PDB file of all heavy atoms in Angstrom:
ATOM      1  N   GLY A 231       9.299  28.939  15.727  1.00  0.00           N
ATOM      2  CA  GLY A 231       9.485  28.237  14.458  1.00  0.00           C
ATOM      3  C   GLY A 231       9.111  26.776  14.474  1.00  0.00           C
ATOM      4  O   GLY A 231       9.463  26.036  13.541  1.00  0.00           O
ATOM      5  N   GLY A 232       8.386  26.348  15.500  1.00  0.00           N
ATOM      6  CA  GLY A 232       8.016  24.944  15.605  1.00  0.00           C
ATOM      7  C   GLY A 232       6.609  24.666  15.127  1.00  0.00           C
ATOM      8  O   GLY A 232       5.891  25.543  14.637  1.00  0.00           O
ATOM      9  N   LYS A 233       6.212  23.431  15.296  1.00  0.00           N
ATOM     10  CA  LYS A 233       4.893  22.949  14.917  1.00  0.00           C
ATOM     11  C   LYS A 233       4.202  22.405  16.164  1.00  0.00           C
ATOM     12  O   LYS A 233       4.790  22.415  17.255  1.00  0.00           O
ATOM     13  CB  LYS A 233       5.037  21.905  13.807  1.00  0.00           C
ATOM     14  CG  LYS A 233       5.670  22.516  12.565  1.00  0.00           C
ATOM     15  CD  LYS A 233       6.070  21.507  11.516  1.00  0.00           C
ATOM     16  CE  LYS A 233       6.733  22.203  10.329  1.00  0.00           C
ATOM     17  NZ  LYS A 233       7.202  21.245   9.293  1.00  0.00           N
ATOM     18  N   ILE A 234       2.968  21.928  16.016  1.00  0.00           N
ATOM     19  CA  ILE A 234       2.207  21.573  17.210  1.00  0.00           C
ATOM     20  C   ILE A 234       1.440  20.268  17.028  1.00  0.00           C
ATOM     21  O   ILE A 234       1.107  19.869  15.916  1.00  0.00           O
ATOM     22  CB  ILE A 234       1.223  22.691  17.608  1.00  0.00           C
ATOM     23  CG1 ILE A 234       0.219  22.975  16.481  1.00  0.00           C
ATOM     24  CG2 ILE A 234       1.978  23.951  17.997  1.00  0.00           C
ATOM     25  CD1 ILE A 234      -0.858  23.994  16.862  1.00  0.00           C
ATOM     26  N   ARG A 235       1.169  19.627  18.162  1.00  0.00           N
ATOM     27  CA  ARG A 235       0.287  18.476  18.219  1.00  0.00           C
ATOM     28  C   ARG A 235      -0.731  18.717  19.309  1.00  0.00           C
ATOM     29  O   ARG A 235      -0.377  19.124  20.424  1.00  0.00           O
ATOM     30  CB  ARG A 235       1.080  17.194  18.522  1.00  0.00           C
ATOM     31  CG  ARG A 235       0.273  15.914  18.288  1.00  0.00           C
ATOM     32  CD  ARG A 235       1.045  14.681  18.758  1.00  0.00           C
ATOM     33  NE  ARG A 235       0.891  14.472  20.189  1.00  0.00           N
ATOM     34  CZ  ARG A 235       1.543  13.528  20.872  1.00  0.00           C
ATOM     35  NH1 ARG A 235       2.409  12.736  20.264  1.00  0.00           N
ATOM     36  NH2 ARG A 235       1.336  13.381  22.168  1.00  0.00           N
ATOM     37  N   VAL A 236      -2.001  18.490  18.978  1.00  0.00           N
ATOM     38  CA  VAL A 236      -3.073  18.661  19.962  1.00  0.00           C
ATOM     39  C   VAL A 236      -3.951  17.420  19.951  1.00  0.00           C
ATOM     40  O   VAL A 236      -3.791  16.530  19.116  1.00  0.00           O
ATOM     41  CB  VAL A 236      -3.932  19.911  19.665  1.00  0.00           C
ATOM     42  CG1 VAL A 236      -3.093  21.168  19.695  1.00  0.00           C
ATOM     43  CG2 VAL A 236      -4.649  19.776  18.313  1.00  0.00           C
ATOM     44  N   GLY A 237      -4.889  17.366  20.865  1.00  0.00           N
ATOM     45  CA  GLY A 237      -5.809  16.240  20.899  1.00  0.00           C
ATOM     46  C   GLY A 237      -6.028  15.736  22.312  1.00  0.00           C
ATOM     47  O   GLY A 237      -5.348  16.146  23.259  1.00  0.00           O
ATOM     48  N   PHE A 238      -6.977  14.811  22.439  1.00  0.00           N
ATOM     49  CA  PHE A 238      -7.372  14.329  23.751  1.00  0.00           C
ATOM     50  C   PHE A 238      -6.287  13.508  24.447  1.00  0.00           C
ATOM     51  O   PHE A 238      -6.395  13.232  25.638  1.00  0.00           O
ATOM     52  CB  PHE A 238      -8.658  13.518  23.644  1.00  0.00           C
ATOM     53  CG  PHE A 238      -9.898  14.351  23.428  1.00  0.00           C
ATOM     54  CD1 PHE A 238     -11.139  13.751  23.305  1.00  0.00           C
ATOM     55  CD2 PHE A 238      -9.828  15.739  23.361  1.00  0.00           C
ATOM     56  CE1 PHE A 238     -12.288  14.507  23.122  1.00  0.00           C
ATOM     57  CE2 PHE A 238     -10.968  16.512  23.174  1.00  0.00           C
ATOM     58  CZ  PHE A 238     -12.204  15.890  23.051  1.00  0.00           C
ATOM     59  N   GLU A 239      -5.239  13.103  23.729  1.00  0.00           N
ATOM     60  CA  GLU A 239      -4.114  12.454  24.405  1.00  0.00           C
ATOM     61  C   GLU A 239      -3.497  13.391  25.429  1.00  0.00           C
ATOM     62  O   GLU A 239      -3.035  12.952  26.482  1.00  0.00           O
ATOM     63  CB  GLU A 239      -3.047  12.014  23.397  1.00  0.00           C
ATOM     64  CG  GLU A 239      -1.790  11.472  24.064  1.00  0.00           C
ATOM     65  CD  GLU A 239      -0.846  10.744  23.127  1.00  0.00           C
ATOM     66  OE1 GLU A 239      -1.216  10.479  21.964  1.00  0.00           O
ATOM     67  OE2 GLU A 239       0.267  10.419  23.577  1.00  0.00           O
ATOM     68  N   ASN A 240      -3.486  14.682  25.111  1.00  0.00           N
ATOM     69  CA  ASN A 240      -2.802  15.653  25.957  1.00  0.00           C
ATOM     70  C   ASN A 240      -3.740  16.549  26.760  1.00  0.00           C
ATOM     71  O   ASN A 240      -3.459  16.875  27.901  1.00  0.00           O
ATOM     72  CB  ASN A 240      -1.873  16.529  25.114  1.00  0.00           C
ATOM     73  CG  ASN A 240      -0.795  15.731  24.429  1.00  0.00           C
ATOM     74  OD1 ASN A 240      -0.873  15.467  23.232  1.00  0.00           O
ATOM     75  ND2 ASN A 240       0.205  15.310  25.176  1.00  0.00           N
ATOM     76  N   SER A 241      -4.851  16.955  26.162  1.00  0.00           N
ATOM     77  CA  SER A 241      -5.752  17.860  26.866  1.00  0.00           C
ATOM     78  C   SER A 241      -7.130  17.827  26.224  1.00  0.00           C
ATOM     79  O   SER A 241      -7.252  17.848  24.997  1.00  0.00           O
ATOM     80  CB  SER A 241      -5.209  19.294  26.840  1.00  0.00           C
ATOM     81  OG  SER A 241      -6.146  20.201  27.393  1.00  0.00           O
ATOM     82  N   ILE A 242      -8.163  17.811  27.041  1.00  0.00           N
ATOM     83  CA  ILE A 242      -9.538  17.873  26.531  1.00  0.00           C
ATOM     84  C   ILE A 242     -10.077  19.294  26.604  1.00  0.00           C
ATOM     85  O   ILE A 242     -11.259  19.523  26.338  1.00  0.00           O
ATOM     86  CB  ILE A 242     -10.475  16.915  27.294  1.00  0.00           C
ATOM     87  CG1 ILE A 242     -10.571  17.307  28.783  1.00  0.00           C
ATOM     88  CG2 ILE A 242     -10.014  15.469  27.148  1.00  0.00           C
ATOM     89  CD1 ILE A 242     -11.633  16.523  29.537  1.00  0.00           C
ATOM     90  N   LEU A 243      -9.209  20.252  26.937  1.00  0.00           N
ATOM     91  CA  LEU A 243      -9.653  21.632  27.120  1.00  0.00           C
ATOM     92  C   LEU A 243      -9.510  22.464  25.852  1.00  0.00           C
ATOM     93  O   LEU A 243      -8.567  22.293  25.073  1.00  0.00           O
ATOM     94  CB  LEU A 243      -8.858  22.298  28.244  1.00  0.00           C
ATOM     95  CG  LEU A 243      -8.955  21.659  29.630  1.00  0.00           C
ATOM     96  CD1 LEU A 243      -8.100  22.438  30.621  1.00  0.00           C
ATOM     97  CD2 LEU A 243     -10.404  21.589  30.103  1.00  0.00           C
ATOM     98  N   MET A 244     -10.418  23.373  25.671  1.00  0.00           N
ATOM     99  CA  MET A 244     -10.350  24.375  24.620  1.00  0.00           C
ATOM    100  C   MET A 244      -9.491  25.544  25.111  1.00  0.00           C
ATOM    101  O   MET A 244      -9.200  25.653  26.313  1.00  0.00           O
ATOM    102  CB  MET A 244     -11.758  24.855  24.273  1.00  0.00           C
ATOM    103  CG  MET A 244     -12.630  23.772  23.648  1.00  0.00           C
ATOM    104  SD  MET A 244     -12.109  23.349  21.977  1.00  0.00           S
ATOM    105  CE  MET A 244     -12.685  24.793  21.078  1.00  0.00           C
TER     106      MET A 244
END
Side-chain angles (χ1 to χ4, degrees):
K233 298 170 182 177
I234 60 175
R235 193 187 83 185
V236 300
F238 286 180
E239 174 167 351
N240 298 103
S241 174
I242 63 172
L243 300 180
M244 294 289 286

